[in-house]
Amino acid sequence: MNSEILSFENVTFTYNAEDGPVRPAVADVSFSIQQGEWIALVGHNGSGKSTIAKLMNGLLFPNKGKVKVFGQEMSEETLWDIRSDLGMVFQNPDNQFVGATVQDDVAFALENNGVPHAVMVERVHEALSQVKMEDYKDHEPHHLSGGQKQRVAIAGALAMRPKLLILDEATSMLDPQGRMEVIETIRRLRESTGLTVISITHDLEEAALAERIIVMNLGQKNMEGTPAAVFSQGSKLTDMGLDLPFAMRMTHLLQEAGVGLQEEHMTEDKLVDELWKYYSKA
Amino acid sequence: MMEKMIFGRFIPGDSVVHRMDPRAKILFVFLFIAIVFVANNAWGYAILLGFTLLVVFLSKIRLYFLINGLKPVFILLIFTFFLHLFFTREGDLLFSFGFIEVYEEGLRQGIFISIRFLVLVFITSVLTLTTSPISITDGIEVLLGPFKKIKLPVHELALMMSISLRFIPTLMDETGKILKAQMARGSDIGSGPMKERVKAVVPLLIPLFVSAFKRAEDLATAMEVRGYRGGEGRTRYRQLNWQLADTLSLVLLAGLTAALWYFRA
Ligand SMILES: Nc1ncnc2c1ncn2[C@@H]1O[C@H](COP(=O)(O)OP(=O)(O)OP(=O)(O)O)[C@@H](O)[C@H]1O
Ligand SMILES: [Mg+2]
C-alpha cells in the first residue's frame, strides 16, 4: 500500500535577482512522501517552505534536481495533469477566493477542467459537506470568517478529488478559533478519506499533529522525523528560531522546577493527564 | 445617504422579475430604451408610464422605496423639467411672470421629457435591483458570445467584471483599515482646505494600490494552481435557464411597441 506520491531529488532553486547572486531559496533538498501520509514542513521565515510548495505544483521549476509527483517528473507537459490531482490552499483567505459565492468558488477548478454540469453539482455538494459548509453555499466571501473562507478553499481543492493536498500556512492568518476549525477539518478528512496532506507551517502545535516533520533552515533540509523525534531536539529548534509546542515548553519548565514528570508531552491533554496522576500520587 | 441610494444595488427577492433569465432582462432593458423614443404624444407617454408601473408592480419593489432611493435622480429630473419649461418658446404663451415666460409647448416638452427620463431610470433600476451583479455578468457574457468570432475577449471581460465585483467589499474594508491607520498617525482627511485634503488622500491610495497588486498576484497564482487556462474548454457551473416568462416578457414588449405605434401622432 505504501507507494510514493511525491519526491524531491537533490532539488536546488535560486530566484533571479538583479543585485548579484543570492543564496539558493532551496538548496539540495531531497525527501520522499508516501501515499496517505500527513507531513508537516516547518521552518523560520524565508527558509524556503513556500518555494518548495511552488516547486511541487510547477509554479517554479528546479534549477537542479528532479521533482516527481504521482510518479511523473514535473515538466511543462505533465504540469496540468499533475495540477488536476493536486489541491493547494494558500495563506491569505481573501486572495484565493475567485467565485462570487461559496459554491461558485468551489466549482472553479471543476469549471477549469471542463467537468460536465451534472457532475459539478454533485462534486460541489460533496466537497462542501466534507468541510461542513453546505449551509453557506450561497454566501458571499465578505460575509464569511477567515476560518470559513479557508474551509471553502479546502472544499475548492477537494472538489477535484485530489490525491494530495498542500496547505501553505493556511492557518497562519486565522484567529485561534479559525485555526481550530481548519485543523479539525483536515483531521476529519484524513480519517475519512486517508488523503495525503502536506502542511507548511511555523506553528509547531500544528506540526505536532503530523506523522512526520521536515524541518527547513536557510533553504536546506535540517531534520526529518516523527514529531517526537524532532521535538526531542528542543534546543536545536529554538536556535533556528522555532518555538516548541506549549505543552513541551511547560513540561521542560516543570521538570526544571523539580516536578518529576516522566515523559515529554506534545499535547496539552497528555500533560494534564500526567499532572493529575502526579498530583494524586503526591 | 449612501445607504439609501439604490442606483446599481441588488435587493434579493422572490418575484417573477427576480426569477427571470438575466439575458431576457438585459435584452428587455435595451429594447425598452429604444422603444421609449417611439412615443411622441400624451397617449404614448401615458402608456409608457402605465407599462413601467406594471413592471415595478411585478418586481414587487415598493414604489415608495424606489422613489426614495432615487432622490438624487429626481433633482436632475426637476432640473431638466424647468429647463424645458423656461427655454422652449413655441405654441401659445400660457403665462408670464416678470422675465419668465412659459409657453404651451414648453410645458408639454417638459412633461414628456421628464416622463421619458423617469421610465428609463425606473426600468434600469428594476434590472439592477432584481438581478445580482454576477447574473448580469453571466447574461452579458452569453449575449456577447457571438462577438467572440471577431476576437472580442468576451470570457476574459466577464471574468474581469466578476472578479472586480467580488473584490469591491474586500477593498472597501481595506480602505477603511488604511484610513484608520493613517488617522492614528495624525493624517486628517476630513478637514482643512481642499488642497490639504487631496494631499492627505495620497498616503491612503498608495498602500491600497500596493496591496491590490499583491492580491492580484496571489489570486493569479491561486487561479493557475486550480487549473485556470483561459476560456477554452471550460464548462459553466452557473447555468442560465430561459423560461416561458422570459419569452412572454419580450412578447409584452412587442405589444407595447405596437400600442405606441398605433397612438403615435
Ligand atoms: N519571488 C521572489 N523573488 C526573489 N526572491 C524570493 C521570491 N520569493 C521568495 N524569495 C526568497 O527566497 C527565500 C525563501 O522564501 P520562501 O517564500 O520560500 O520562504 P518561506 O519559508 O515560505 O517563508 P515564510 O515563512 O515567510 O512564508 C527567501 O529568502 C525569500 O526572500
Ligand atoms: Mg511562505
Side-chain angles (χ1 to χ4, degrees), chain A residues 33-96:
Chain A
I33 290 168
Q34 309 299 313
Q35 181 156 14
E37 272 192 301
W38 183 351
I39 304 285
L41 192 61
V42 304
H44 59 86
N45 289 117
S47 58
K49 304 178 304 283
S50 296
T51 310
I52 289 186
K54 286 180 183 155
L55 288 162
M56 284 176 179
N57 64 18
L59 285 168
L60 299 173
F61 293 102
N63 301 129
K64 274 194 225 115
K66 253 190 219 165
V67 176
K68 268 190 178 172
V69 189
F70 314 129
Q72 286 173 296
E73 187 177 341
M74 181 66 77
S75 69
E76 297 281 355
E77 288 87 63
T78 55
L79 184 68
W80 295 105
D81 240 16
I82 290 174
R83 278 188 192 161
S84 67
D85 281 334
L86 190 158
M88 192 148 177
V89 177
F90 297 92
Q91 182 172 24
N92 192 321
D94 273 312
N95 298 0
Q96 52 186 320

Side-chain angles (χ1 to χ4, degrees), chain A:
Chain A
M1 178 59 206
N2 257 15
S3 62
E4 185 178 85
I5 201 159
L6 183 146
S7 73
F8 270 44
E9 288 167 27
N10 306 96
V11 171
T12 299
F13 180 85
T14 314
Y15 285 99
N16 283 327
E18 285 98 44
D19 39 353
V22 284
R23 89 176 152 74
V26 173
D28 198 23
V29 170
S30 306
F31 57 81
S32 155
I33 290 168
Q34 309 299 313
Q35 181 156 14
E37 272 192 301
W38 183 351
I39 304 285
L41 192 61
V42 304
H44 59 86
N45 289 117
S47 58
K49 304 178 304 283
S50 296
T51 310
I52 289 186
K54 286 180 183 155
L55 288 162
M56 284 176 179
N57 64 18
L59 285 168
L60 299 173
F61 293 102
N63 301 129
K64 274 194 225 115
K66 253 190 219 165
V67 176
K68 268 190 178 172
V69 189
F70 314 129
Q72 286 173 296
E73 187 177 341
M74 181 66 77
S75 69
E76 297 281 355
E77 288 87 63
T78 55
L79 184 68
W80 295 105
D81 240 16
I82 290 174
R83 278 188 192 161
S84 67
D85 281 334
L86 190 158
M88 192 148 177
V89 177
F90 297 92
Q91 182 172 24
N92 192 321
D94 273 312
N95 298 0
Q96 52 186 320
F97 208 111
V98 187
T101 66
V102 167
Q103 50 175 335
D104 289 314
D105 190 65
V106 174
F108 184 70
L110 298 170
E111 292 182 312
N112 291 335
N113 284 283
V115 174
H117 185 256
V119 182
M120 262 199 269
V121 173
E122 200 180 294
R123 293 276 195 94
V124 168
H125 180 80
E126 174 191 291
L128 281 175
S129 71
Q130 279 177 310
V131 301
K132 300 225 160 89
M133 285 291 289
E134 309 102 304
D135 297 342
Y136 295 86
K137 73 181 170 53
D138 288 315
H139 281 232
E140 290 171 11
H142 58 279
H143 292 147
L144 299 177
S145 71
Q148 289 173 330
K149 275 181 235 179
Q150 289 303 63
R151 273 150 67 199
V152 172
I154 293 173
L158 291 178
M160 285 297 293
R161 297 194 178 148
K163 295 185 198 149
L164 170 63
L165 182 65
I166 302 175
L167 305 146
D168 187 357
E169 308 212 26
T171 59
S172 70
M173 285 179 72
L174 305 179
D175 54 15
Q177 159 88 29
R179 188 174 303 202
M180 277 296 299
E181 279 172 26
V182 171
I183 294 176
E184 198 43 50
T185 304
I186 301 294
R187 209 212 301 253
R188 250 188 309 108
L189 268 176
R190 294 252 322 140
E191 260 167 33
S192 59
T193 63
L195 182 68
T196 315
V197 174
I198 301 178
S199 64
I200 297 176
T201 171
H202 43 216
D203 174 17
L204 293 191
E205 313 260 351
E206 196 182 320
L209 297 166
E211 289 160 354
R212 189 148 61 96
I213 299 183
I214 297 174
V215 184
M216 294 292 300
N217 187 34
L218 298 169
Q220 283 167 325
K221 186 172 90 178
N222 190 286
M223 264 188 261
E224 181 174 354
T226 60
V230 168
F231 292 142
S232 68
Q233 310 274 324
S235 62
K236 256 174 100 181
L237 291 174
T238 40
D239 287 347
M240 280 187 272
L242 292 168
D243 274 336
L244 288 177
F246 170 76
M248 290 197 75
R249 267 182 291 153
M250 197 65 200
T251 312
H252 290 165
L253 289 172
L254 285 170
Q255 280 166 342
E256 271 169 36
V259 181
L261 293 177
Q262 305 299 315
E263 293 168 60
E264 289 267 12
H265 295 286
M266 283 186 298
T267 64
E268 241 171 277
D269 289 347
K270 296 242 176 71
L271 173 63
V272 171
D273 275 354
E274 196 183 346
L275 280 176
W276 277 119
K277 278 187 211 137
Y278 184 82
Y279 178 74
S280 55
K281 267 187 275 173

Side-chain angles (χ1 to χ4, degrees), chain A residues 57 59 80 83 88 90 94-100 103-105 107-115 117 120-121 124 141-142, chain B residues 134 159 162-163 166-167 169-170 173 214-215 218-219 221-230 232-239:
Chain A
N57 64 18
L59 285 168
W80 295 105
R83 278 188 192 161
M88 192 148 177
F90 297 92
D94 273 312
N95 298 0
Q96 52 186 320
F97 208 111
V98 187
Q103 50 175 335
D104 289 314
D105 190 65
F108 184 70
L110 298 170
E111 292 182 312
N112 291 335
N113 284 283
V115 174
H117 185 256
M120 262 199 269
V121 173
V124 168
H142 58 279
Chain B
I134 196 69
L159 187 78
S162 74
I163 290 177
R166 179 243 161 286
F167 271 92
T170 311
D173 270 4
K214 168 87 180 110
R215 284 182 195 283
D218 282 1
L219 192 71
T221 310
M223 285 171 66
E224 199 182 331
V225 166
R226 286 157 82 181
Y228 182 71
R229 271 167 283 179
E232 202 87 351
R234 256 185 128 234
T235 43
R236 299 175 62 94
Y237 180 65
R238 254 171 300 115
Q239 300 274 311

Side-chain angles (χ1 to χ4, degrees), chain B residues 42-86:
Chain B
W43 278 110
Y45 281 103
I47 293 172
L48 272 183
L49 201 59
F51 184 84
T52 305
L53 291 178
L54 176 74
V55 172
V56 173
F57 172 75
L58 285 176
S59 73
K60 291 193 189 160
I61 298 169
R62 278 173 304 130
L63 201 57
Y64 168 75
F65 175 76
L66 198 59
I67 292 170
N68 205 31
L70 292 172
K71 261 184 197 152
V73 177
F74 282 106
I75 298 171
L76 203 65
L77 190 101
I78 292 167
F79 182 71
T80 33
F81 174 73
F82 282 112
L83 213 65
H84 278 93
L85 194 63
F86 297 143

